[in-house]
Amino acid sequence: MSPTRKIPWPALATAMLAGAILAGALAWQLHLHGLSRQIEQKRGALRKLVISGDIPPNQEVMAYFAGRGERIQARYDHWARRVVAPLPAEATGADAQLFFQEQLHQLQRTLERLAAARELPTPEQLGFPKELPPADTVPRLLAQLGLIEDGTKLALAQRVHALSSVKIDDPQALVDPETEEPVLLRLPVRMRLAGSLPVIVKVLGSLRHAMPIIDIQDIRLATGSQPDVLDVEIVMARYLPVARGEDQPPAPRGTQKGPPGRPAKEEGA
């Protein structure tokens, strides 16, 4: 009968420990390889967001752009208040057409009162629709009504000799030179008046300081029927932002790009 072989427990324990270490090392290498792949994927995604100058997107960069966006928005709001004619909420409501008709009658009464206070004939209002206007034209018509009221008040305050008429002209779309898309709608009004040269200069000065901005597009001067009195036609305008997706009038030739200008022409009799 052969003797029982003893199991070499120390050697077996050593082999098992070595196998466990080898398996752990292999698993760790696989884990590291997976982490490396994830890091490369994240780096690839971040490369698309890196700003010029190799500035990575972080909290400080986000705070900078948030503050910059707020400053740009504040500047936009500032110039919008100066340039864009504000409109009442009723201008886009269901009864916008009736609201316009009410405002037109109110303007007529205002002009009658202002002219009577200066002992002048009521200026003629030209170009307004006799019937209810289309709903999409109400905002620009209301802006032109406001321009007429402000312009006539400023002119009569300078004691002009006469204010014969005010007339609305067709709107003109102004486009962005980069996108070729309309961004503003120019709304012209023609005002015909008479006065001495110093009075006309005062009228132009008061129009220049009005808010929202009154853009003087054209000035035509002619000798009046009385000595030292000029007959004047002033083409002035205000602006409305263009609503996206709506059909807009064509831009005028030669003035469709760039910021609004202030051309002036003079004609002698």
Side-chain angles (χ1 to χ4, degrees), residues 169-174 184-188 217 249-252 255:
D169 280 355
D170 293 334
Q172 304 162 350
L174 303 179
L184 284 177
L185 203 60
R186 179 188 289 148
L187 307 173
Q217 295 288 300
T255 59

Side-chain angles (χ1 to χ4, degrees), residues 24 31 78 83 93 97 100 106 124 131 141 170 178 188 191 204-205 241 245 254 262 264:
H31 179 64
H78 168 75
V83 174
Q97 296 159 292
F100 163 75
Q106 182 176 338
E124 187 178 5
E131 305 295 335
L141 289 173
D170 293 334
E178 295 182 358
M191 181 170 63
L204 295 176
R262 294 178 178 266

Side-chain angles (χ1 to χ4, degrees), residues 174-183 256-257:
L174 303 179
V175 304
D176 187 327
E178 295 182 358
T179 63
E180 300 293 336
E181 294 292 332
V183 292
Q256 70 273 24
K257 298 182 180 181

